[in-house]
Amino acid sequence: MGSFLAPPTMGESPVWPRGLSLGLRRETFFSLLLFACAWQIASYFAPPYVIPGWQAIGKSLLHLHMEWIAVTAVRVLFSLLLSFGLGALLAMLMYSSRAFERYLLPLLKMLMAVPVLCWILFAVLWFRGVEFRIAFVLVIICGPIFVIDLLDGMKGVLREWREMLRSLRPSKFQFFQKLILPAILPAVLTSWKVNLSLAVRVVTIAELVGATSGIGYGLVVAQGLFSIADIFAWTLVLVVILLVAQQIITLLEDRLLHWRESA
Amino acid sequence: MIASRQEGDRSSGQFNIRVNQLRKVLRTSHGTEPLVAIDRLTFSVMAGEIACIVGRTGCGKSTFLNILAGLDHPTEGEITIGENTPYNAFDLFKGAVAVIFQQDRLLPWRTARENVELGLEILGISPGQRRETAEEWLTRLELSGFLNAYPGELSGGMRQRVAMARAFALDPQLLLVDEAFGHLDEVTARQLRVDFLKHASRRGTTVVMVTHQLEEAIETAEKIFVFGKPARLLAEIDTPAALSRMSKEELRTFIQETIDSNQPRQL
């Protein structure tokens, strides 16, 4: 997925000017086009409730509740920001205190071993508010991943760099600001990519249970109406949301980590 | 701390270094015998002196330098710089002590100029002033065309020059140098040594330099301390006085024999 919309490298020609293409390479464009053609051909031979044609999917796309896309996007973004904030705080505490790390790490590993479906059921049993349930599930799934990734990033900062900076006698805040934060930035962005992909998939499942809006609810409605084209349309929307979000992070990476090109 | 010191400051006793019965025992995590890295080390370096420490690889030279930099504590004994110990009064030496490490240790996400500015940022110097200082030092060290280059775009010698500029930009009173030129080719190392000495002596900085290259020590230092293994003082040599009595080659042989015998010797 990472290379799907990766920016063109030297010697590769983009299909259209880079600003418009979101980094779409010629090869990527043609492989997508090939897939779309194969899908359309298959739709002529299979019944419409198995493989609906692009015309039917397109018609469904036009009639989707666009506000539900925004609702799901806001839920994902809010929960990820909350997960990241809590994750960063815990990672910093664990980095600062070995004892804290020794107590917390086993708990985090235990939380990460619980399947998503179990968390959704717990959320339904424990909480009444739908929004709170969804946020809870996303934070409990994505938060520990942020903690582990950030902690690994902090621990991975080279001893030589730490010694060099300590020799300049910075305050604790300066140590974090000048060394730890920029050094873990690649790990932070990678963690965001992983969690975005996870959150978009998890939020859909969470919305299947009890929500009255959002893409997950849209899928439940489509299933109830036995509208296969709507299900495919929602799926397409999910894939596009994910790819666009991933591409935004890739662009951020290009901007913030451009020094890596020289390394 | 940034304000330039005058040449007369070399005689100031503020940065006299006294090492008294220093001992460092390293405890390993895998249950083997504790390792004595430094054993009852005693000597002193006067303010403004350029001192070199030589000895076998792994004899505790870098451990000593880390304690002197305040980055580590001794097991017994003490080091004082003026009236204070650098590891206990850590913050007191902010901006006054700078280290040039064996590897350049530049931060790859910062340009050459930003790397030089790092120590000045920590001291809270204004952006304009630190930019000016960084550019001035990079220009002095012949890197004016590479102010905005990232470390990945520079050669080993250029990177070490940036590391040198980072240390000099602080205008430190004590400069610690840990085999900073040893990994470079001889031509580059010689040129860097010349530049380093020019700037260090012009500013009257006290320098403690660790090296395993005897020629470098003889060419550079006013005083040479020969360490045994574990680190203890085998010989203390006043280089100009020694060179008035013997050739460079004879002095080199004396130092080498002292290191090989691992026994204290008088010149």
Side-chain angles (χ1 to χ4, degrees):
Chain A
M1 196 62 78
S3 63
F4 183 64
L5 285 173
T9 51
M10 289 249 256
E12 289 172 335
S13 48
V15 173
W16 36 56
R18 187 178 162 146
L20 298 170
S21 70
L22 284 171
L24 200 65
R25 283 195 298 235
R26 181 183 294 159
E27 295 86 340
T28 312
F29 177 74
F30 281 114
S31 71
L32 287 175
L33 192 66
L34 201 66
F35 169 78
C37 290
W39 180 275
Q40 189 63 27
I41 291 166
S43 73
Y44 295 138
F45 297 99
Y49 56 85
V50 176
I51 302 180
W54 286 113
Q55 199 184 358
I57 295 174
K59 207 177 282 178
S60 287
L61 273 172
L62 291 175
H63 293 101
L64 293 182
H65 287 272
M66 288 300 154
E67 68 275 17
W68 288 357
I69 299 172
V71 166
T72 298
V74 168
R75 281 173 181 154
V76 168
L77 194 64
F78 172 77
S79 303
L80 280 180
L81 286 172
L82 188 62
S83 305
F84 180 71
L86 289 172
L89 186 68
L90 286 178
M92 274 194 271
L93 287 172
M94 288 165 82
Y95 179 73
S96 309
S97 161
R98 287 277 298 170
F100 192 70
E101 184 194 343
R102 278 199 292 267
Y103 280 105
L104 202 66
L105 203 57
L107 287 176
L108 287 172
K109 285 182 177 170
M110 192 187 72
L111 291 182
M112 288 168 80
V114 177
V116 177
L117 189 63
C118 296
W119 285 121
I120 292 174
L121 294 176
F122 293 150
V124 171
L125 290 170
W126 291 342
F127 310 114
R128 293 188 65 178
V130 172
E131 296 305 328
F132 195 84
R133 280 179 191 167
I134 293 170
F136 169 78
V137 171
L138 284 174
V139 170
I140 207 83
I141 295 291
C142 300
I145 298 174
F146 274 127
V147 178
I148 302 288
D149 287 352
L150 295 185
L151 186 62
D152 279 350
M154 288 177 195
K155 285 180 167 182
V157 176
L158 293 179
R159 188 174 59 87
E160 287 80 4
W161 289 345
R162 281 190 265 133
E163 271 183 4
M164 182 278 293
L165 204 75
R166 277 195 63 218
S167 77
L168 297 170
R169 291 164 162 78
S171 64
K172 279 188 176 172
F173 174 74
Q174 285 174 325
F175 189 82
F176 257 86
Q177 182 201 17
K178 309 284 179 201
L179 179 63
I180 302 294
L181 289 183
I184 66 167
L185 195 57
V188 169
L189 292 172
T190 306
S191 194
W192 265 91
K193 270 186 182 174
V194 170
N195 269 326
L196 251 173
S197 160
L198 185 65
V200 167
R201 281 175 284 166
V202 170
V203 76
T204 322
I205 307 170
E207 284 173 345
L208 288 173
V209 189
T212 52
S213 61
I215 295 175
Y217 179 67
L219 283 165
V220 173
V221 172
Q223 189 204 12
L225 297 171
F226 207 67
S227 172
I228 304 300
D230 279 1
I231 294 176
F232 278 104
W234 279 122
T235 308
L236 199 63
V237 167
L238 273 174
V239 170
V240 169
I241 287 179
L242 192 60
L243 293 181
V244 168
Q246 297 269 12
Q247 188 59 13
I248 289 169
I249 296 188
T250 303
L251 291 173
L252 263 176
E253 265 182 342
D254 287 352
R255 192 176 172 79
L256 296 173
L257 308 177
H258 62 282
W259 56 268
R260 289 202 296 197
E261 288 163 23
S262 67
Chain B
M1 212 48 88
I2 287 298
S4 287
R5 287 173 294 120
Q6 301 301 308
E7 299 222 357
D9 283 357
R10 281 176 71 95
S11 59
S12 156
Q14 196 190 352
F15 267 70
N16 288 339
I17 300 167
R18 294 189 200 287
V19 183
N20 185 23
Q21 292 290 310
L22 196 77
R23 196 158 190 272
K24 178 71 182 176
V25 180
L26 301 174
R27 302 196 186 280
T28 53
S29 56
H30 38 82
T32 50
E33 284 287 296
L35 177 76
V36 179
I38 300 173
D39 190 18
R40 309 279 169 215
L41 193 59
T42 300
F43 66 91
S44 55
V45 177
M46 294 297 118
E49 259 181 354
I50 295 180
C52 240
I53 295 168
V54 294
R56 282 184 199 172
T57 304
C59 75
K61 303 186 294 279
S62 294
T63 306
F64 169 74
L65 214 63
N66 272 346
I67 298 174
L68 186 53
L71 300 176
D72 200 356
H73 282 69
T75 311
E76 288 173 43
E78 67 170 10
I79 296 180
T80 53
I81 302 176
E83 299 295 319
N84 299 288
T85 52
Y87 36 90
N88 289 331
F90 190 74
D91 287 336
L92 199 69
F93 292 95
K94 195 171 185 170
V97 177
V99 186
I100 303 176
F101 294 94
Q102 195 167 10
Q103 301 293 333
D104 54 75
R105 304 192 184 190
L106 300 180
L107 300 179
W109 55 85
R110 285 176 165 252
T111 61
R113 184 172 49 74
E114 288 166 346
N115 264 290
V116 176
E117 283 185 37
L118 182 62
L120 303 173
E121 284 172 26
I122 286 168
L123 287 177
I125 307 297
S126 69
Q129 198 181 339
R130 63 181 190 239
R131 190 187 177 97
E132 193 182 316
T133 307
E135 289 182 2
E136 184 188 320
W137 272 105
L138 286 168
T139 304
R140 278 186 201 174
L141 289 164
E142 296 164 20
L143 286 169
S144 57
F146 299 91
L147 300 178
N148 295 315
Y150 285 98
E153 297 166 328
L154 301 173
S155 69
M158 291 161 108
R159 290 167 63 111
Q160 198 58 294
R161 277 177 195 276
V162 177
M164 216 195 276
R166 180 177 62 198
F168 277 124
L170 291 170
D171 194 20
Q173 281 148 299
L174 173 60
L175 193 48
L176 308 176
V177 187
D178 188 4
E179 303 201 31
F181 315 121
H183 63 291
L184 301 170
D185 66 85
E186 189 43 45
V187 177
T188 309
R190 186 172 290 271
Q191 185 56 50
L192 277 180
R193 255 195 314 268
V194 169
D195 288 346
F196 170 79
L197 284 176
K198 183 175 78 183
H199 295 299
S201 53
R202 183 189 292 166
R203 305 185 85 77
T205 313
T206 309
V207 177
V208 177
M209 201 167 168
V210 160
T211 181
H212 62 271
Q213 293 183 331
L214 303 186
E215 290 79 8
E216 181 175 303
I218 294 166
E219 281 176 20
T220 311
E222 293 163 301
K223 218 171 235 181
I224 299 172
F225 297 98
V226 184
F227 277 18
K229 190 175 180 177
R232 64 190 197 286
L233 195 63
L234 300 182
E236 179 177 337
I237 299 162
D238 183 326
T239 318
L243 288 176
S244 68
R245 286 187 282 142
M246 58 174 69
S247 68
K248 276 185 186 176
E249 192 47 44
E250 284 169 327
L251 182 56
R252 189 193 180 288
T253 307
F254 170 80
I255 296 172
Q256 188 62 61
E257 285 173 358
T258 308
I259 292 171
D260 292 342
S261 70
N262 203 25
Q263 295 297 322
R265 291 176 79 199
Q266 291 280 339
L267 188 65

